[in-house]
């Protein structure tokens, strides 16, 4: 039955199979194909616009040192890097939220940094260095950029309706109501909303957005004990007051955009599109807002104080040196370049319309006010210096933020929900998570 | 986290009667395996090795850079005791059953409507089939736009024409699961339609004629002739739908991400969020393995049931 031709075909097929298996075997063994001779692989969590700015910084680095950089901006950063970690092949350097430090460090992803040996490290303040300390007190990253969140408001809408700049939570709520009901853009249609809220549980976005209001209301997430232990501080009258206020926004028609509960930040473009007029957000969006809805149409307002103050979420990016990299010299060189005044200024992208990736410089010799000469950024700087708070970065805060977002999302989805019970429930979840991390006293 | 493998019908080796036993022929025995080799190799690398890895991960606390810790069945216990997983399982079942039934009913109606030889029907059938060949992620994004909860959203505009006010669809915990289900039916129905159309083509015409002579009603004709003749087709559709229903992920992830208030969270979105948002690969793997086991049991059960029904 078996004719020579079909035998040959069979052998050819088998050979093809063998080649394929060889290839895949190579693929899995040769994970660190970057090798010691190759380019330095760098990841940032960026969409296209900030990636352009990063590329400029890295080009300047290559020009100065001759070290090639293989730069990858990754939007789905958290999931993608997880995959790379699973194959024990992290990028050599990655830049991401300072709040992720505890998460990364608890999994052994980061190479510790000897603070004193970092050239230019003395130009970074102790407070900024402190955000890169792990639970053991060692430094696991190098600060790159800092920022405080701010509130942006459609100035033209506000003036059309003859309303003042909001100075309290009640004012803010009333402004949202006016934007929703009084046709602020004057087009005769009921097509505008008050606030933009990225309220999905994905990446814990809702907790991110709500944190400033929770602190302004007098609430908090966790407290650190003297002996390095942590416990939930969520269940307090302050948190309840803040969550009540947030819920009032969600449950009054028009105060927040309609699909808020399932929107990520990328999907929350109602401020850009002229559909909503208030947004508590990071200052990195200002460049995009200058373009749309337009520089003259909106304003950055001083934070309207809640019952307990004007605290805003502070965030920032750190430079992380991936564990298992064989390019330790180049890693450190890149980090040192990134905190130099030259790189920080390029990354601030002051003279162009591109998006800044250094929002507030960490290098104290850079005078941000002079570089930018923009009163809105001065407001950001003031907020950061005087009244801002960051999530604890030493512990693995990601699951806690996730738990808070999930709990809040459920409370907001049901306008008949019992806020006190909900807040108590979230607090229990936080404690359970801390217990998992062996951090409860 | 491997996707459950779809089963493959086993080839039944049969010697034609009357052939005398010959000395064992190695070449003859090897040939089928040679032809199978490329497929098997692909399956080995992309299905079986990842699956075995998945089993290994599910028994460890996974931390690639610190060394994995053996935790035995702890991860499985965590999954089975987790309320969120139970909730997700309920949603998965509800979606699976709802989408399967919905897609079969709609697919059946479409098939009845579009059965025939005319050119125009051919074009309509192609148009109706489009959702099946479109990437689910794209379908999801489009439906997110169609479902826009404001008055100027597409579906809400249509509802407005008949005097129904704007519905929240994906954004209300009460309607989110139904909205996701409707999209699932929309995606699944045309596929079922094609299989049922093939089944309809095989129905003996003379039966219809005999029935017409006996003067049966349309409903009786459906009940006593069409449906029994379609049983093999429906079995296939049901098996495929059961498997697909359990591992539903893309639609939900794109449409709602499991929200609002976790009301549309299904097994695989929970696995995804544990594995990639909470970095808990071990528990996520354990949950995937459980899903694999359930899928296997279900597939075997459907096959046994349908075999019994056939004999």
């Amino acid at each position: 039955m078996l004719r020579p031709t079909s035998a040959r075909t069979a052998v050819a097929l088998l050979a093809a199979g063998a080649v394929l298996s060889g290839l895949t075997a190579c693929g899995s063994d040769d994970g660190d194909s970057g090798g010691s001779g190759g380019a330095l692989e760098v990841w940032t969590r960026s969409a296209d616009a900030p990636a352009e700015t990063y590329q400029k910084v890295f080009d300047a680095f290559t020009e100065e040192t001759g070290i090639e950089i293989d730069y990858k901006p990754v939007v789905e950063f958290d999931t993608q890097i997880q995959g790379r970690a699973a194959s024990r092949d992290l990028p050599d350097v990655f830049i991401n939220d300072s709040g992720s430090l505890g998460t990364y460090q608890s999994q052994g992803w980061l190479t510790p940094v000897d603070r004193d040996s970092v050239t230019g490290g003395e130009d970074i303040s102790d407070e900024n260095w402190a955000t890169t300390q792990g639970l053991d007190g060692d430094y696991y990253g190098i600060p790159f950029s800092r920022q405080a969140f701010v509130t942006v408001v459609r100035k033209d809408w506000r003036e059309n309706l003859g309303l003042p700049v909001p100075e309290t939570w009640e004012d803010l709520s009333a402004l949202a109501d006016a934007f929703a009901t009084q046709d602020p853009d004057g087009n005769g249609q009921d097509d505008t909303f008050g606030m933009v809220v990225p309220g999905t549980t994905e990446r814990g976005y809702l907790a991110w957005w709500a944190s400033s209001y929770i602190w302004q209301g007098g609430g908090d997430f966790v407290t650190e004990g003297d002996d390095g232990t942590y416990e939930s501080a969520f269940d307090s009258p302050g948190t309840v007051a803040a969550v009540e206020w947030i819920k009032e926004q969600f449950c009054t028609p028009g105060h927040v955009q309609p699909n808020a509960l399932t929107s990520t930040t990328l999907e929350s473009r109602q401020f850009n599109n002229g559909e909503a007029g208030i947004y508590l957000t990071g200052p990195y969006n200002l460049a995009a807002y200058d373009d749309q809805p337009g520089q003259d149409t909106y304003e950055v307002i001083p934070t309207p104080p809640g019952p307990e103050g004007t605290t805003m979420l502070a965030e920032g990016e750190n430079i992380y040196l991936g564990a298992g990299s064989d390019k330790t010299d180049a890693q450190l060189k890149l980090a040192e370049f990134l905190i130099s005044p030259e790189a920080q200024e390029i990354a601030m992208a002051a003279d162009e319309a591109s998006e800044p990736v250094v929002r507030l410089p960490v290098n104290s010799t850079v005078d941000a006010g002079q570089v930018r000469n923009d009163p809105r950024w001065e407001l950001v700087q003031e907020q950061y210096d005087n009244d801002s708070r960051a999530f604890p970065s030493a512990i693995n805060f990601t699951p806690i933020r996730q738990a808070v977002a999930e709990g809040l999302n459920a409370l907001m989805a049901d306008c008949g929900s019992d806020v006190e019970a909900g807040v108590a429930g979230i607090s229990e979840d936080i404690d359970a998570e801390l217990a998992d991390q062996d951090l409860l006293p | 986290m491997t996707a459950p493998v779809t089963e493959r019908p086993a080839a039944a080796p049969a010697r034609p009667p009357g052939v005398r036993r010959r000395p064992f022929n190695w070449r003859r025995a090897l040939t089928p395996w040679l032809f199978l080799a490329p497929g098997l190799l692909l399956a080995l690398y992309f299905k079986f090795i990842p699956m075995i890895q998945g089993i290994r991960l599910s028994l460890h606390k996974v931390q690639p850079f610190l060394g994995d810790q053996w935790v035995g069945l702890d991860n499985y216990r965590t999954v089975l005791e987790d309320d969120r997983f139970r909730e997700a399982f309920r949603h998965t079942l509800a979606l699976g059953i709802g989408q399967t039934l919905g897609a079969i009913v709609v697919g059946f109606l479409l098939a009845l409507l579009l059965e025939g030889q005319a050119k125009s029907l051919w074009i309509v059938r192609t148009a109706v089939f489009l959702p099946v060949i479109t990437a689910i992620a794209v379908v999801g994004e489009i439906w997110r736009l169609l479902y826009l909860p404001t008055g100027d959203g597409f579906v809400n505009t249509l509802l407005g024409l008949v005097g129904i006010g704007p519905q929240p669809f994906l954004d209300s915990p009460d309607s989110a699961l139904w909205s996701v289900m409707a999209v699932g039916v929309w995606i699944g129905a045309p596929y079922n339609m094609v299989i049922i159309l093939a089944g309809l083509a095989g129905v003996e015409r003379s039966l219809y004629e005999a029935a017409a002579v006996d003067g049966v009603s349309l409903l009786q004709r459906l009940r006593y002739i069409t449906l029994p003749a379609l049983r093999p087709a429906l079995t296939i559709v049901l098996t495929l739908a059961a498997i697909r229903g359990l591992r539903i992920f893309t639609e939900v992830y794109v449409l709602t991400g499991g929200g609002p208030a976790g009301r549309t969270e299904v097994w695989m979105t929970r696995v995804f969020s544990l594995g990639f948002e909470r970095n808990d690969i071990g528990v996520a793997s354990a949950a995937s393995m459980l899903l694999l086991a359930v899928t296997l049991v279900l597939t075997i059960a459907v096959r046994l049931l349908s075999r019994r029904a056939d004999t």
Side-chain angles (χ1 to χ4, degrees):
Chain A
M1 284 291 272
L2 195 71
R3 287 189 304 270
T5 44
S6 54
R8 208 173 296 149
T9 317
V11 170
L13 282 174
L14 189 68
V19 168
L20 185 83
S21 72
L23 281 179
T24 47
C26 274
S28 52
D29 290 343
D30 198 19
D32 51 350
S33 50
S36 44
L40 199 64
E41 188 181 10
V42 182
W43 278 27
T44 67
R45 188 170 69 80
S46 315
D48 291 348
E52 272 176 39
T53 315
Y54 270 119
Q55 189 63 58
K56 277 180 209 155
V57 180
F58 296 139
D59 286 347
F61 172 72
T62 304
E63 199 172 307
E64 194 173 300
T65 60
I67 299 173
E68 293 289 330
I69 286 192
D70 175 16
Y71 171 50
K72 293 198 185 80
V74 184
V75 176
E76 299 269 315
F77 191 93
D78 306 86
T79 50
Q80 302 271 330
I81 201 156
Q82 191 58 243
R84 289 289 297 264
S87 56
R88 290 183 56 86
D89 177 30
L90 285 169
D92 298 302
V93 175
F94 45 103
I95 301 175
N96 197 17
D97 304 323
S98 54
S100 300
L101 182 120
T103 309
Y104 297 158
Q105 196 254 322
S106 65
Q107 300 182 83
W109 292 6
L110 306 176
T111 309
V113 175
D114 176 10
R115 179 181 161 179
D116 296 327
S117 73
V118 177
T119 313
E122 66 279 2
D123 292 334
I124 297 175
S125 70
D126 287 342
E127 290 82 28
N128 279 336
W129 271 112
T131 63
T132 68
Q133 271 178 305
L135 278 174
D136 55 7
D138 281 350
Y139 297 93
Y140 285 94
I142 297 155
F144 176 62
S145 161
R146 290 293 174 261
Q147 62 181 308
F149 278 52
V150 285
T151 308
V152 292
V153 167
R154 277 298 288 267
K155 187 177 170 204
D156 54 341
W157 289 10
R158 184 178 61 72
E159 287 170 351
N160 279 351
L161 302 176
L163 291 166
V165 173
E167 286 176 357
T168 61
W169 274 10
E170 288 71 39
D171 291 353
L172 199 60
S173 187
L175 189 65
D177 205 60
F179 281 173
T181 56
Q182 297 178 23
D183 190 21
D185 58 358
N187 68 353
Q189 279 171 355
D190 179 16
D191 58 356
T192 51
F193 306 97
M195 305 180 185
V196 185
V197 183
T200 179
T201 55
E202 218 180 306
R203 284 198 85 230
Y205 272 125
L206 182 55
W208 228 302
W209 175 85
S211 61
S212 299
Y213 294 117
I214 288 173
W215 282 316
Q216 288 167 24
D220 204 349
F221 294 87
V222 294
T223 46
E224 187 179 356
D226 299 327
D227 46 355
T229 57
Y230 286 79
E231 61 185 321
S232 169
F234 198 72
D235 192 4
S236 72
T239 309
V240 172
V243 175
E244 288 279 8
W245 184 79
I246 294 171
K247 193 174 140 196
E248 182 194 321
Q249 310 314 316
F250 270 91
C251 294
T252 317
H255 275 215
V256 303
Q257 91 273 23
N259 51 4
L261 283 173
T262 52
S263 289
T264 62
T265 46
L266 280 178
E267 284 157 344
S268 303
R269 295 187 49 84
Q270 287 77 5
F271 194 85
N272 309 57
N273 299 343
E275 292 166 316
I278 303 169
Y279 194 7
L280 185 152
T281 184
Y284 44 85
N285 274 324
L286 297 184
Y289 295 158
D290 283 349
D291 187 36
Q292 214 189 5
Q295 193 163 5
D296 304 328
T297 62
Y298 77 100
E299 61 196 338
V300 178
I301 64 167
T303 306
E308 297 292 328
T310 56
T311 307
M312 277 285 199
L313 174 65
E315 250 293 342
E317 278 77 39
N318 288 337
I319 305 159
Y320 298 112
L321 312 183
S325 167
D326 52 4
K327 300 193 204 56
T328 39
D329 279 353
Q331 276 181 316
L332 193 62
K333 250 188 211 153
L334 176 64
E336 286 169 349
F337 177 77
L338 287 171
I339 58 172
S340 69
E342 182 197 354
Q344 294 261 306
E345 276 183 39
I346 304 175
M348 284 166 74
D351 49 348
E352 320 149 70
S354 49
E355 196 176 308
V357 293
V358 164
R359 285 77 191 232
L360 300 174
V362 292
N363 190 314
S364 51
T365 64
V366 178
D367 183 348
Q370 204 182 357
V371 175
R372 284 219 175 83
N373 196 17
D374 183 336
R376 300 172 308 175
W377 277 97
E378 275 161 33
L379 212 57
V380 177
Q381 181 87 52
E382 250 168 60
Q383 181 80 50
Y384 181 78
D385 291 342
N386 301 333
D387 205 356
S388 66
R389 279 187 71 171
F391 291 129
S393 52
I395 62 174
N396 183 358
F397 196 73
T398 310
I400 296 173
R401 194 168 52 216
Q402 191 68 30
V404 172
E406 282 165 7
L408 288 180
N409 189 279
L411 279 175
M412 298 308 139
D414 173 13
C415 290
S417 57
D418 177 353
V419 169
E420 271 181 48
V423 166
I426 297 172
S427 188
E428 280 168 26
D429 290 345
I430 295 177
D431 272 338
E433 188 53 51
L434 289 170
D436 261 7
Q437 299 183 28
D438 292 327
L439 290 168
L440 269 189
Chain B
M1 267 168 291
T2 34
V5 236
T6 43
E7 44 149 14
R8 187 184 303 247
R15 191 144 39 95
V19 176
R20 267 185 295 121
R21 181 178 287 276
R22 281 182 302 192
F24 189 73
N25 185 339
W26 275 104
R27 285 168 81 186
R28 197 188 159 101
L30 268 177
T31 311
W33 289 105
L34 286 178
F35 279 102
L36 284 174
L40 282 180
L41 263 175
L42 284 176
L44 180 73
Y45 269 90
F46 295 105
K47 298 248 184 219
F48 299 122
I49 292 179
M51 207 160 84
I52 292 165
Q53 274 286 353
I55 295 175
R56 191 187 70 78
L57 291 177
S58 72
L59 300 171
H60 287 81
K61 179 177 160 71
V62 180
Q63 27 188 20
F65 282 89
L66 300 174
D68 296 346
Q69 270 171 26
W70 172 265
V71 294
L73 293 176
D74 269 8
N75 289 336
Y76 289 90
R77 206 165 299 136
T78 311
V79 174
L80 293 175
E81 284 170 1
D82 183 18
D83 287 339
R84 298 280 300 275
F85 262 115
R86 272 182 224 155
E87 184 95 336
F89 190 66
R90 272 196 293 277
H91 294 150
T92 314
L93 272 190
L95 270 182
I97 294 171
Q99 288 190 1
T100 307
L101 292 182
I104 285 180
V105 170
V106 176
F108 186 62
L109 291 177
L110 281 174
L112 289 181
L113 283 173
L114 301 179
E115 191 198 7
Q117 305 293 328
K119 256 272 163 35
S120 56
L121 281 178
W122 181 79
I123 293 172
V124 176
R125 275 202 297 262
T126 311
V128 168
F129 194 67
L130 277 177
V132 181
I133 53 167
T134 312
I136 297 181
V138 176
V139 170
E141 284 298 343
I142 291 174
W143 273 93
R144 224 182 123 75
L145 291 178
L146 295 179
Y147 271 148
L148 199 72
T150 56
D152 47 6
F154 180 79
V155 180
N156 272 327
T157 312
L158 291 185
L159 289 180
L161 292 179
V162 291
I164 302 175
Q167 299 295 312
F169 295 115
L170 298 169
D171 256 51
S172 156
D174 302 323
S175 57
L177 198 63
W178 295 104
S179 308
V180 172
M181 201 182 285
V183 176
V185 170
W186 188 79
I187 297 172
Y191 189 76
N192 294 346
M193 172 195 80
V194 171
I195 296 178
I196 295 171
L197 270 177
L200 283 177
V203 181
E204 193 69 48
R205 294 283 133 179
S206 58
L207 290 177
Y208 284 139
E209 285 158 19
V213 172
D214 288 345
V216 302
S217 72
L218 182 71
L219 278 182
Q220 282 171 324
R221 205 175 73 180
L222 270 181
R223 164 79 181 77
Y224 293 105
I225 301 176
T226 316
L227 280 179
L230 281 179
R231 213 180 54 208
L234 289 179
T235 312
I236 297 175
V237 167
L238 267 178
T239 316
L240 290 176
I243 296 169
R244 215 177 25 212
L246 284 182
R247 51 174 215 204
I248 179 171
F249 172 73
T250 320
E251 298 97 307
V252 178
Y253 187 70
V254 177
L255 283 170
T256 62
R263 274 321 159 80
T264 57
E265 189 159 74
V266 289
W267 196 267
M268 281 313 290
T269 56
R270 183 79 188 133
V271 167
F272 184 83
S273 121
L274 273 180
F276 293 112
E277 281 167 6
R278 291 206 180 192
N279 300 341
D280 207 340
I281 300 278
V283 175
S285 300
S288 304
M289 287 305 135
L290 286 174
L291 181 65
L292 175 66
V294 172
T295 314
L296 261 177
V297 169
L298 208 85
T299 312
I300 294 171
V302 171
R303 279 190 67 83
L304 283 182
L305 280 178
S306 63
R307 195 172 300 165
R308 190 171 306 159
D310 286 342
T311 50

